[in-house]
């Protein structure tokens, strides 16, 4: 009895602490039971260049071992043949028409929930590690960082420097960042997205892969990416988290490699760029070594993760779990709006039961069983299979039109001006062009009729990035010969001539480009620069004013316009432009130096000196500011 009373009157706080500890421990153990989820996307990876998908020339031992440990989906189709759009579909489980990321720089709306957000809400630590600036959430891929505790964006780098770590990271760097994060974050289940960009052109594998694959550098890039994937998986094994993890590896899209005359990707919707490898290693290596031959889609990745983790949500997806009982084959829809950047028609395709319909100004129908290379177009308007596939696309469009959250009006014009150089360095570009330039997309040229022009433009951008300006100008010139109304060829050639000091030729080409598309603020800016150099100050001012109406935040245009107004003795207008430039970029020197010249012209040396001091505080060795200071002391 006394003992019982003693227990009753004992201090309860230690017992409470013990109970609290046990509750926390139980919660941690429960969280730990949820498997890690590792999503790896290998950019520009064709299925037929992976060993376990049938390639005899491939060197992909890591992917092959993962196939042996997991489930191989031999007939996986991407939603889009271009990086940003394809990844938005993987991360949201939605087709491009529904998530709205139809082009570079178009933001993913918060209404479209990502897998990172869903897993974060269920106790996961989340991180993303990207291999190219094209997926940087601060510039070209706004919104893709939704739900990530850590998103490994690119640091700012000087324009025109080496491409590595400016616009692209080697797989080794990406994997090193990822494994460092994994080593530091072990207490909770983890969702990690790792993006390896290497197989994307230009194909420049490091040694020893460059030597081993000197006749096929694309395969060398794949072999290199495969080896770094092995490093990532080895780190999971050292942490004893590999066996229990859910690991999904897939290509975001393929590569043309000259098939159908498409050297790279983004323009066409043939299987060369749509058929991707997809491997899923389940926790405990369940179903290891099995193959699923039925058609699946990249939009099925997110629903699969939720299904395997037992997570339910009210969010709606276009995809379904890869392991659900599908019944009849599900249609795979693919889309590309990238041709709009060049003034060409966008394309959609639908693939089902061995048939594929490509909706374009010149429509196509293929029987994939008989014609896997899509060489013989059997399109006939009255074909029953065609009518069925066309009806699927019509139903899809109707559903999209009912979705208030879809971003149907997003166009190529959304690309920020500050990212144009990065796009060019990665081989992507075009001009501000959208569906508003024609009543119907079908009235635009069919990309099939323009693919040689696109190949030349792409080659020109790659040559320019590599520093071979003569070859780049030749490529753009040949593109212009092939299509004199090519807005992209005109603007690219004009910009190169501007850099080379051929100002009259630059002005001619840029003026022609601006006539074709009066809504391109970047072309207007470069035209103003060219016209100023040839002494046409009135024309330069008009072009710069146009540029600023289209894009008011162009610092360079405001400085240049201020300088032109100053040369014309229009002091008030000059001061307005220079002050606006300072508000945009207060630390940059050009506006302050121009303002100092303005004050000197007005016999206001103290104000001029104050502007120069602002420059020299940030850049003590600025030659122009130091020269003006010496001139100021003479007065």
């Amino acid at each position: 009895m006394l003992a019982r009373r003693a227990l009753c009157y004992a201090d309860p706080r230690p017992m409470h602490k013990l109970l609290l500890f046990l509750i926390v421990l139980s919660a941690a153990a429960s969280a730990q039971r949820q498997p890690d989820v590792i999503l790896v996307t290998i950019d520009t990876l064709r299925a037929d260049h992976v060993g376990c998908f049938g390639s005899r020339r491939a060197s992909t031992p890591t992917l092959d071992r993962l196939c042996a440990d997991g489930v191989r989906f031999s007939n996986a189709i991407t939603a889009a043949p271009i990086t940003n759009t394809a990844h938005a579909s993987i991360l949201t489980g939605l087709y491009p028409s529904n998530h709205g990321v139809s082009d570079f720089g178009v933001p993913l709306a918060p209404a479209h929930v990502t897998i990172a957000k869903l897993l974060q809400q269920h106790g996961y630590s989340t991180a993303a590690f990207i291999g190219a600036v094209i997926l940087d959430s601060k510039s070209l891929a706004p919104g893709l960082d939704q739900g990530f505790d850590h998103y490994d964006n690119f640091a700012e780098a000087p324009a025109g420097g080496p491409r590595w770590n400016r616009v692209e990271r080697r797989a080794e760097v990406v994997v090193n960042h990822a494994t460092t994060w994994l080593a530091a974050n072990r207490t909770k289940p983890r969702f990690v997205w790792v993006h390896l960009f290497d197989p994307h052109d230009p194909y420049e594998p490091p040694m020893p892969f460059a030597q081993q694959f000197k006749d096929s550098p694309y395969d060398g890039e794949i072999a290199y990416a495969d080896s770094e994937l092995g490093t990532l998986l080895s780190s999971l094994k050292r942490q004893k988290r590999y066996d229990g993890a859910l690991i999904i590896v897939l290509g975001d899209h393929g590569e043309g490699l000259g098939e159908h005359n498409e050297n790279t990707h983004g323009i066409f919707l043939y299987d060369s760029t749509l058929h991707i490898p997809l491997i899923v290693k389940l926790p405990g290596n369940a179903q290891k070594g099995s193959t699923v031959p039925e058609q699946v889609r990249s939009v099925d990745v997110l629903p699969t993760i939720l299904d395997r983790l037992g997570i339910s949500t009210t969010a709606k997806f276009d995809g379904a779990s890869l392991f659900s009982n599908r019944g009849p084959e599900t249609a795979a829809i693919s889309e590309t709006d990238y041709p709009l950047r060049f003034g060409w028609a966008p394309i959609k395709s639908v693939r089902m039961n061995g048939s594929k319909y490509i909706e374009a100004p010149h429509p196509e129908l293929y029987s994939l069983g008989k014609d896997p290379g899509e060489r013989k177009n059997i399109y006939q308007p009255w074909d029953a299979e065609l009518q069925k596939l066309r009806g699927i696309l019509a139903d899809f469009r109707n559903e999209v039109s009912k979705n208030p959250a879809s971003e149907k009006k997003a166009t190529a014009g959304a690309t920020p001006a500050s990212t144009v150089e990065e796009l060019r360095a990665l081989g992507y570009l075009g001009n501000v062009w959208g569906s508003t330039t024609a009543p119907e997309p079908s009235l635009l040229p069919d990309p099939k009729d323009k693919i040689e022009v696109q190949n030349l433009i792409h080659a020109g951008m790659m040559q320019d990035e590599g520093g071979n300006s003569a070859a780049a100008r030749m490529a753009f010139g040949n593109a212009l010969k092939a299509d004199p109304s090519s807005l992209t060829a005109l603007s690219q050639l004009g910009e190169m001539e501007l850099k080379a000091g051929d100002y009259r030729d630059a002005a001619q080409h840029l003026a022609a480009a601006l006539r074709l598309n009066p809504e391109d603020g970047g072309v207007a800016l470069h035209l103003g620069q060219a016209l100023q150099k040839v002494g046409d100050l009135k024309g330069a001012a008009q072009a710069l004013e146009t540029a600023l109406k289209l894009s008011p935040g162009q610092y360079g245009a405001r400085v240049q316009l201020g300088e032109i107004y100053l040369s014309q003795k229009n002091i008030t207008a000059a001061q307005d432009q220079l002050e606006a430039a300072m508000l945009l970029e207060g630390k940059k020197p050009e506006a302050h130096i121009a303002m100092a010249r303005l004050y000197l012209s007005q016999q206001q040396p103290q104000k001029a000196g104050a502007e120069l001091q602002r420059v020299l505080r940030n850049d003590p060795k600025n030659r122009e500011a130091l020269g003006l200071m010496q001139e100021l002391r003479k007065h």
Side-chain angles (χ1 to χ4, degrees), residues 136-286:
D136 192 300
S137 68
K138 301 191 311 300
S139 55
L140 284 163
L144 283 198
D145 58 352
Q146 181 202 128
F148 285 104
D149 301 322
H150 174 73
Y151 196 98
D152 197 24
N153 282 318
F154 278 58
E156 288 189 20
R163 68 182 291 108
W164 303 112
N165 299 320
R166 175 174 63 90
V167 296
E168 181 178 353
R169 291 172 178 144
R170 288 283 197 196
E172 179 182 7
V173 175
V174 178
V175 169
N176 180 56
H177 290 189
T179 54
T180 300
W181 185 90
L182 284 165
N185 292 269
R186 301 194 191 194
T187 57
K188 296 167 66 177
R190 305 165 298 186
F191 169 62
V192 178
W193 166 35
V194 176
H195 165 247
L196 305 180
F197 190 69
D198 300 84
H200 195 285
D201 82 310
Y203 315 126
E204 298 173 350
M207 295 296 289
F209 302 97
Q211 180 62 32
Q212 293 171 5
F213 293 89
K214 58 184 177 182
D215 295 329
S216 179
Y218 172 67
D219 288 303
E221 292 271 34
I222 294 171
Y224 168 60
D226 181 89
S227 72
E228 290 303 323
L229 174 62
T231 301
L232 175 68
L233 299 184
S234 293
S235 73
L236 291 173
K237 291 174 181 177
R238 286 194 300 272
Q239 294 180 17
K240 301 189 183 306
R241 303 279 280 261
Y242 173 84
D243 288 339
L246 172 59
I247 301 173
I248 301 176
V249 179
L250 73 159
D252 65 336
H253 56 73
E255 186 75 317
L257 299 179
E259 291 185 25
H260 302 277
N261 294 322
E262 183 178 32
N263 290 342
T264 55
H265 58 270
I267 301 296
F268 291 158
L269 294 180
Y270 300 112
D271 276 8
S272 51
T273 60
L274 296 186
H275 184 203
I276 55 172
L278 172 58
I279 306 166
V280 178
K281 192 207 78 68
L282 295 167
N285 297 356

Side-chain angles (χ1 to χ4, degrees), residues 582-602:
M582 290 176 196
L583 288 173
L584 290 169
E585 299 282 357
K587 291 185 178 180
K588 286 189 174 181
E590 297 86 0
H592 293 289
I593 291 172
M595 188 68 85
R597 293 188 186 279
L598 184 151
Y599 285 135
L600 281 172
S601 73
Q602 298 301 298

Side-chain angles (χ1 to χ4, degrees), residues 17 23 73 136 142 220 245 261 304 306 351 391 410 421 476 493 519 523 528 533 571 580 588 621:
K17 289 181 180 178
I23 291 170
F73 293 86
D136 192 300
N261 294 322
T304 300
L306 297 182
R351 195 179 189 278
E421 291 299 325
F476 291 132
L493 192 57
E519 301 299 311
V523 169
K533 291 292 187 180
I571 302 302
K588 286 189 174 181
K621 295 182 180 181

Side-chain angles (χ1 to χ4, degrees), residues 310-359:
I311 293 174
S312 60
T313 176
T314 57
K316 302 298 182 185
F317 309 112
D318 292 319
S321 173
L322 293 164
F323 298 96
S324 62
N325 185 8
R326 293 170 174 269
E329 183 171 272
T330 305
I333 292 171
S334 301
E335 309 176 68
T336 180
D337 280 359
Y338 187 52
L340 281 169
R341 281 194 155 264
F342 303 90
W344 310 329
I347 304 176
K348 283 183 171 57
S349 72
V350 58
R351 195 179 189 278
M352 191 175 73
N353 295 328
S355 294
K356 181 175 177 183
Y357 167 55
I358 300 176
E359 184 182 73

